[in-house]
Amino acid sequence: MEFEQLADVLKALGDTTRLKIVALLNIRDCCVCELVPLFGISQPAVSKHVSRLKSVGLVKETRKGMWVFYSLNKEKLKEIGFALTQLPDLTNELKQLEKKGLLVKCQSRS
Amino acid sequence: MEFEQLADVLKALGDTTRLKIVALLNIRDCCVCELVPLFGISQPAVSKHVSRLKSVGLVKETRKGMWVFYSLNKEKLKEIGFALTQLPDLTNELKQLEKKGLLVKCQSRS
DNA sequence: TCTAGAAATAACAATATGGTTATATTGTTG
DNA sequence: CAACAATATAACCATATTGTTATTTCTAGA
């Protein structure tokens, strides 16, 4: 996974409210009206949080009449956890820089 | 791991520059003067990014004469990846709310 | 002790974030 | 169609974030 993409998802997860929403959706699907009273913030605020999670692919929505049920994309969450253990390998990039003499090594190195 | 703590670390990782720094430190320790030319931002900017990673425990520093070498806390990074697969279980909290009649269920539920 | 290099801190500017209230949209129902 | 419920969007505000330049701190060495 690319750095920017991964950083975007991590940033989306890097908020207590959104992280709790994700943990809740991990137990069961919820609609916005169920989430609102749990967080002590306004309905639009919850709506925006959920929307942000959706925009990075962590959450899917299903309309059921008046309600929109949000569910966790568990595969995506697993992917992210895995990506942290397998960060993009920059070894080749570093070697490229070294070839071009662009890799700075500070004087303390042998 | 608590939600706020976890969210703080994820937020620290949720920035392209910091994520790349982490990936670099995953290969080898670096001092600030080596990182600066790789990112096209000023030395104080890099210093602040590294400092932020340090403040959430992702990075450790070792002074070697004039230089400060930063190294990745690989255990911590693993922990975070694992925490995403084992998010704090809110089942009990939900049951507590249910007992007290504070758990809202929207009308679409049976 | 004086100078120079590496890194950190301070002060500031531009933009992003996360909340609010008000309003629009979408779907249900009388 | 009118009225209402659930969400989404718009406009706005306060604060946080991320960068800058200038300055300070810490260490090494002449």
Side-chain angles (χ1 to χ4, degrees):
Chain A
M1 182 173 299
E2 298 300 325
F3 282 108
E4 292 201 9
Q5 219 184 321
L6 181 55
D8 279 348
V9 182
L10 292 171
K11 197 187 289 188
L13 287 168
D15 172 273
T16 310
T17 302
R18 285 194 294 269
L19 198 55
K20 283 184 184 169
I21 290 177
V22 165
L24 266 170
L25 297 182
N26 195 36
I27 300 177
R28 67 166 199 196
D29 298 358
C30 287
C31 55
V32 172
C33 67
E34 293 176 317
L35 295 174
V36 169
L38 298 178
F39 291 103
I41 57 177
S42 67
Q43 171 265 314
V46 171
S47 198
K48 276 199 291 187
H49 280 307
V50 169
S51 170
R52 174 132 186 206
L53 290 171
K54 202 181 64 170
S55 79
V56 296
L58 277 169
V59 148
K60 291 169 287 187
E61 72 173 52
T62 315
R63 192 169 262 283
K64 277 191 190 173
M66 267 190 304
W67 298 272
V68 178
F69 278 82
Y70 288 95
S71 56
L72 183 60
N73 184 342
K74 297 189 181 185
E75 272 313 308
K76 181 82 177 186
L77 188 60
K78 269 187 214 164
E79 254 181 61
I80 300 304
F82 181 71
L84 286 184
T85 70
Q86 298 288 321
L87 285 174
D89 188 348
L90 293 176
T91 305
N92 289 332
E93 282 80 349
L94 284 184
K95 280 183 184 163
Q96 290 296 325
L97 285 175
E98 203 162 16
K99 264 188 196 167
K100 297 180 192 163
L102 295 175
L103 187 63
V104 176
K105 290 190 179 182
C106 81
Q107 294 168 23
S108 79
R109 296 192 186 272
S110 61
Chain B
M1 181 173 298
E2 299 300 324
F3 283 107
E4 293 200 9
Q5 221 183 320
L6 181 55
D8 279 348
V9 182
L10 292 171
K11 197 188 289 189
L13 287 168
D15 173 273
T16 310
T17 302
R18 284 194 294 269
L19 198 54
K20 284 184 184 168
I21 290 176
V22 165
L24 267 170
L25 296 183
N26 195 36
I27 300 176
R28 69 166 197 196
D29 298 358
C30 286
C31 54
V32 172
C33 67
E34 292 176 318
L35 295 173
V36 169
L38 297 177
F39 291 103
I41 57 179
S42 66
Q43 171 265 314
V46 171
S47 198
K48 277 199 290 187
H49 280 306
V50 168
S51 169
R52 174 133 186 205
L53 291 171
K54 203 180 62 168
S55 78
V56 297
L58 277 168
V59 148
K60 291 167 289 186
E61 71 173 53
T62 314
R63 190 169 264 284
K64 276 191 191 173
M66 268 192 303
W67 299 271
V68 178
F69 278 83
Y70 288 95
S71 56
L72 183 61
N73 183 342
K74 297 189 180 184
E75 273 312 308
K76 180 82 176 186
L77 188 60
K78 270 187 212 164
E79 255 182 60
I80 300 304
F82 180 70
L84 285 184
T85 70
Q86 297 288 322
L87 285 174
D89 188 347
L90 292 176
T91 305
N92 289 331
E93 282 79 352
L94 284 184
K95 281 182 183 163
Q96 290 295 326
L97 285 175
E98 202 161 17
K99 266 188 194 167
K100 297 180 191 163
L102 296 175
L103 187 64
V104 176
K105 289 191 181 180
C106 83
Q107 294 167 24
S108 79
R109 296 193 186 271
S110 62

